[in-house]
Amino acid sequence: MMKTSFKSITAIVLSFALSACGGGVSVASNDGITGTGITTAGRVTGFGSIWVNGIKFNVDEATFSRDGITSSGQSEFSIGEYVVIKGLVDKTTQLGIAEDVSFIDLIDGTVTTASTDNSTIEILGQLVKTDTNTTLIDDRGGSTNTFANLTDLVIGNIIEVSGIRDSTGLIRATSIKLKESIGSKNELKGTISNIDTSTKTFMIESILIDYGNAKLEGFNTEPKNGQFVEVNSSTEYDGHILIAKKVELEDEFMTTVKGTELEVEGIVTRFISILDFEINGIPVRTTTNTKYKDGISTDIKLNTQLEINGVVDNNGILVAEKIELKKDDDDDDDDDDDDDDDD
């Protein structure tokens, strides 16, 4: 098998604070590649350098991090993992030089309901859906156990999931790793809702969090609704409440800075019209100059999978220059014979 809104990504949801990379300004690297500064977010599709969104990034001088912790290099990364890369790209050759490669998992916790259909599984009470076209099941991560199918996993396994939440909160996995055969370490990222400061509880999606005895990091006062946090727990999730050991205030998975050139792979998480929608929680608008690949503007709707290239304007909106429509998870019809149109 081959994988928050990003505003609620417990992933998701994934915490990267991105700064402007000088989008649109021609620069020259020490390797002789001339291109523009870009931030690209998407699945790793290959190595020997790192391939993301069709761009081959040289990583010789790049810094790497996983969940905010410095990493030794690309050997710690896997195909399917959703990453954010800052660097330089030559648009003609689609070759790039990575300055920074960052990964953050969406959810890292115990299987609470085993899979019976080999396409969905429940982790920490959160429904995770896989797709044979885009999800990579990976048995690395320190585990001595191997697995080839979701149905091989059992309640109590510790699983790391990389992916995207759609508009309903469903986790669309891009990568699944078995980390431990059994354990009680749980890590969840997401946006606080329904906080009750008297009982010291709040919600992340459908999970009730008890933070009464938790270590709070990054907060000026009490946690508040709408804040994006990482929750760590060393106790088992009982299906009702997760006892937090630490709650850390984090930035959203991605922030947008005006003038930044972005290339984002993701899901439409809010849709009003083609002039007003969001991908992974990032506001997007199209223009008469927007080009489309593998579809047209009227194909875009809630939960459509897209790849968008554009530049962030002064209002923090990604102005789309090119939109590629991706095959939906359940779309298994006869697309295999279709030829891609580069425009």
Side-chain angles (χ1 to χ4, degrees):
M1 258 177 114
M2 276 281 303
K3 171 174 32 70
T4 80
S5 88
F6 266 70
K7 286 188 175 178
S8 64
I9 197 170
T10 60
I12 315 198
V13 254
L14 15 47
S15 120
F16 301 124
L18 304 176
S19 60
C21 299
V25 180
S26 182
V27 295
S29 76
N30 55 11
D31 285 354
I33 293 178
T34 300
T36 59
I38 191 171
T39 295
T40 184
R43 292 171 297 123
V44 175
T45 55
F47 289 105
S49 298
I50 285 185
W51 289 80
V52 175
N53 294 341
I55 301 172
K56 180 181 180 181
F57 285 95
N58 181 298
V59 294
D60 290 349
E61 303 298 325
T63 57
F64 292 83
S65 64
R66 296 183 64 84
D67 286 318
I69 299 173
T70 300
S71 168
S72 63
Q74 64 175 311
S75 61
E76 295 187 29
F77 289 67
S78 299
I79 290 177
E81 291 184 332
Y82 197 100
V83 300
V84 174
I85 297 179
K86 292 168 59 178
L88 306 173
V89 173
D90 185 316
K91 291 186 176 180
T92 301
T93 63
Q94 288 295 284
L95 296 175
I97 297 175
E99 299 170 354
D100 179 80
V101 181
S102 303
F103 165 82
I104 188 168
D105 55 30
L106 191 54
I107 192 168
D108 189 338
T110 53
V111 174
T112 45
T113 300
S115 176
T116 58
D117 59 9
N118 207 38
S119 64
T120 58
I121 192 167
E122 187 184 89
I123 300 173
L124 272 184
Q126 307 286 286
L127 186 63
V128 177
K129 181 179 180 181
T130 63
D131 169 24
T132 54
N133 296 314
T134 57
T135 305
L136 178 72
I137 288 182
D138 189 315
D139 59 20
R140 290 178 292 176
S143 173
T144 57
N145 294 336
T146 61
F147 74 105
N149 301 286
L150 282 187
T151 49
D152 296 334
L153 300 173
V154 299
I155 293 174
N157 285 160
I158 301 291
I159 305 299
E160 178 186 75
V161 178
S162 175
I164 302 168
R165 282 191 189 274
D166 67 17
S167 64
T168 68
L170 175 70
I171 297 173
R172 308 279 192 97
T174 60
S175 171
I176 295 181
K177 286 184 179 181
L178 172 61
K179 297 187 72 176
E180 298 176 27
S181 296
I182 199 75
S184 57
K185 174 188 174 184
N186 293 298
E187 180 183 289
L188 182 67
K189 300 176 183 70
T191 303
I192 293 175
S193 64
N194 299 322
I195 192 162
D196 186 332
T197 55
S198 62
T199 60
K200 303 292 186 183
T201 60
F202 60 78
M203 302 286 292
I204 290 182
E205 296 296 333
S206 60
I207 297 183
L208 182 64
I209 310 292
D210 180 341
Y211 69 95
N213 294 314
K215 180 181 180 181
L216 302 180
E217 293 187 0
F219 299 92
N220 293 325
T221 56
E222 287 272 346
K224 298 177 182 178
N225 286 332
Q227 290 179 324
F228 190 83
V229 297
E230 176 182 310
V231 175
N232 287 278
S233 172
S234 57
T235 59
E236 292 185 13
Y237 175 62
D238 63 4
H240 170 63
I241 192 165
L242 184 66
I243 308 299
K245 181 179 181 180
K246 182 175 76 170
V247 179
E248 184 177 0
L249 180 65
E250 296 193 346
D251 292 314
E252 292 281 358
F253 179 74
M254 266 181 93
T255 58
T256 54
V257 179
K258 67 178 181 179
T260 301
E261 183 170 349
L262 292 183
E263 182 171 273
V264 182
E265 176 187 19
I267 292 175
V268 175
T269 48
R270 183 182 69 86
F271 185 83
I272 302 299
S273 73
I274 194 63
L275 300 176
D276 181 11
F277 67 97
E278 294 182 357
I279 179 173
N280 300 350
I282 299 170
V284 179
R285 70 176 174 88
T286 61
T287 70
T288 55
N289 295 321
T290 302
K291 295 182 178 180
Y292 296 88
K293 179 180 179 182
D294 296 335
I296 58 178
S297 62
T298 53
D299 293 329
I300 298 175
K301 56 188 178 181
L302 206 60
N303 294 324
T304 302
Q305 297 184 55
L306 307 173
E307 182 179 314
I308 300 181
N309 294 63
V311 177
V312 178
D313 69 12
N314 291 337
N315 297 313
I317 298 172
L318 177 59
V319 181
E321 297 175 351
K322 181 178 179 180
I323 297 178
E324 179 180 350
L325 284 86
K326 301 287 189 177
K327 188 175 180 180
D328 288 340
D329 286 354
D330 298 322
D331 231 357
D332 287 328
D333 27 20
D334 308 357
D335 293 349
D336 294 339
D337 295 339
D338 292 345
D339 292 327
D340 285 341
D341 178 3
D342 287 336
D343 286 330

